[in-house]
Amino acid sequence: MGRRRNQDRRSGGRRGGSRGLQAWTRGLVPWLAVAAVVALACKTVEHGLTIEAYAKRPLAIESEDGARRFAMESAFDPTVRAFSASHGKPDYLYVEDRQSLYFFYTSTDSAAVFRRDFIARSEVKSFGQIPGNLLKLLPAASRERVLASRARRTAKALRGTGQRRRRARGPAALALSADGTGWSRRHFEVAAIISRLRTAITAADEGISGWRRVPGPDGVEQRRAESDGIRFEVRPDSVTAMTAIASGPSATPLRARRAYTRINRAVFGTRAQHVNQIVASLAERVSRDPSGKTRIAQRIAGRTVRIHRLPSGGWWVYSVHP
């Protein structure tokens, strides 16, 4: 009888301890929830209060500010954490405001845009090539490297296309002589180039007319004409176009694109489209540097193409040389 009472007391003690633990655990859950809310609130407050210290400037991820802001954004936004885990840390991040964050991967020419409303979790959109409106946010040196990389990729792709076409057609023909072609290995035939520039490109186009002779250095034959705000000049050693450009960084002006498209058509003939594709990226680099220090001189399709800006006069200049 005494043994049973002792067992009952021991059993009752265990049941009482279990009930006490359960009650203590139930009481702890609300406090844990409160602590989580408080932690999230602290992150939200810190994220919002520090926006102005980091906003509106590109932050290299290797810099102190960049690393600190990246850690803050990752702690605040689960979408940022997940994206970084799968794509790696960006080379640059750019805080537009509380709702907008940009990641830049300059080594792969890609970007990601994070948009959020009033909650921490954002929506993300990635780009296989950095859009122009975002590219301008990068430091000038990084922007130039991205554009140069694009130009190299474009040129490589075009070379590959040309090689495949040549293999399909067989051996390439020798360079044409000056007779009837508009150019030779040593000089342009001025009359032939002007004749091509006079030719209309579209039904609405009138071609370039009003050509006049202008004395050149050492008696070199030289002719000029103006059309739609573009100045054209044809010499045996060059075919040139000049047009106005805004004083600051800008995209290549429409008139400039028309100018190099027309000259390439007159000089390169059936290869003009190939040349235009290469020139487009090169022209963009020059247009976005208002200092005039970016000057292009590149051999394309057997000719030397030069592109530069004259900041003092506000001119954008394109020329092709034999």
Side-chain angles (χ1 to χ4, degrees):
M1 179 69 71
R3 187 181 301 114
R4 189 183 305 109
R5 282 197 297 270
N6 290 335
Q7 290 175 350
D8 290 342
R9 282 197 296 270
R10 287 195 296 270
S11 176
R14 287 195 296 270
R15 287 197 295 271
S18 176
R19 285 196 296 271
L21 178 61
Q22 291 173 359
W24 180 83
T25 303
R26 285 196 298 271
L28 180 62
V29 169
W31 287 105
L32 291 175
V34 170
V37 171
V38 169
L40 178 59
C42 290
K43 291 178 183 177
T44 303
V45 170
E46 181 187 22
H47 181 272
L49 291 178
T50 56
I51 285 291
E52 292 187 2
Y54 298 94
K56 307 295 184 181
R57 58 190 176 100
L59 302 172
I61 200 67
E62 298 299 331
S63 69
E64 183 177 351
D65 282 353
R68 185 182 298 114
R69 191 65 199 186
F70 175 77
M72 195 179 301
E73 292 287 350
S74 298
F76 175 70
D77 189 337
T79 302
V80 171
R81 288 198 301 275
F83 190 89
S84 301
S86 60
H87 294 80
K89 291 183 180 181
D91 299 304
Y92 289 90
L93 60 87
Y94 187 99
V95 179
E96 179 70 25
D97 49 36
R98 185 189 177 282
Q99 286 78 34
S100 303
L101 172 69
Y102 310 141
F103 276 9
F104 294 96
Y105 298 85
T106 55
S107 57
T108 58
D109 191 6
S110 58
V113 176
F114 300 86
R115 305 282 190 192
R116 62 176 73 95
D117 292 323
F118 298 102
I119 59 175
R121 184 178 294 277
S122 60
E123 298 290 334
V124 61
K125 181 178 181 181
S126 58
F127 297 89
Q129 178 172 294
I130 303 174
N133 64 315
L134 298 184
L135 185 62
K136 65 183 181 182
L137 301 178
L138 288 171
S142 296
R143 188 168 60 243
E144 291 299 324
R145 284 195 294 270
V146 170
L147 292 173
S149 177
R150 288 183 188 177
R152 288 193 297 269
R153 290 198 304 271
T154 300
K156 182 177 180 180
L158 291 172
R159 284 197 300 271
T161 300
Q163 289 171 357
R164 288 192 295 273
R165 288 177 178 173
R166 286 192 293 273
R167 285 195 295 268
R169 290 195 302 262
L174 295 175
L176 298 173
S177 67
D179 299 332
T181 67
W183 56 269
S184 71
R185 289 188 179 276
R186 297 183 179 179
H187 69 277
F188 292 118
E189 294 292 337
V190 173
I193 294 294
I194 289 177
S195 176
R196 292 179 180 181
L197 290 171
R198 288 180 186 273
T199 304
I201 296 178
T202 65
D205 181 53
E206 297 179 353
I208 309 302
S209 58
W211 292 92
R212 62 188 186 280
R213 293 180 182 272
V214 179
D218 301 324
V220 173
E221 181 183 5
Q222 182 173 291
R223 296 189 186 182
R224 294 178 182 171
E226 295 187 17
S227 175
D228 189 30
I230 307 171
R231 298 183 183 180
F232 292 91
E233 178 182 280
V234 180
R235 297 160 40 116
D237 61 351
S238 64
V239 182
T240 305
M242 300 172 58
T243 188
I245 187 171
S247 58
S250 69
T252 303
L254 178 60
R255 285 193 176 95
R257 293 198 297 271
R258 290 174 178 168
Y260 73 66
T261 298
R262 190 179 289 277
I263 285 181
N264 292 343
R265 181 173 179 269
V267 173
F268 295 100
T270 58
R271 306 190 68 183
Q273 185 175 359
H274 160 78
V275 176
N276 290 340
Q277 290 174 328
I278 300 175
V279 167
S281 294
L282 303 177
E284 197 71 14
R285 290 172 54 191
V286 172
S287 299
R288 293 191 178 280
D289 180 6
S291 71
K293 294 180 180 179
T294 301
R295 304 173 70 90
I296 301 295
Q298 183 167 319
R299 200 72 175 168
I300 304 175
R303 300 285 175 258
T304 298
V305 168
R306 299 181 185 275
I307 315 171
H308 65 279
R309 288 180 62 161
L310 299 175
S312 58
W315 293 103
W316 187 96
V317 185
Y318 178 81
S319 60
V320 182
H321 306 258

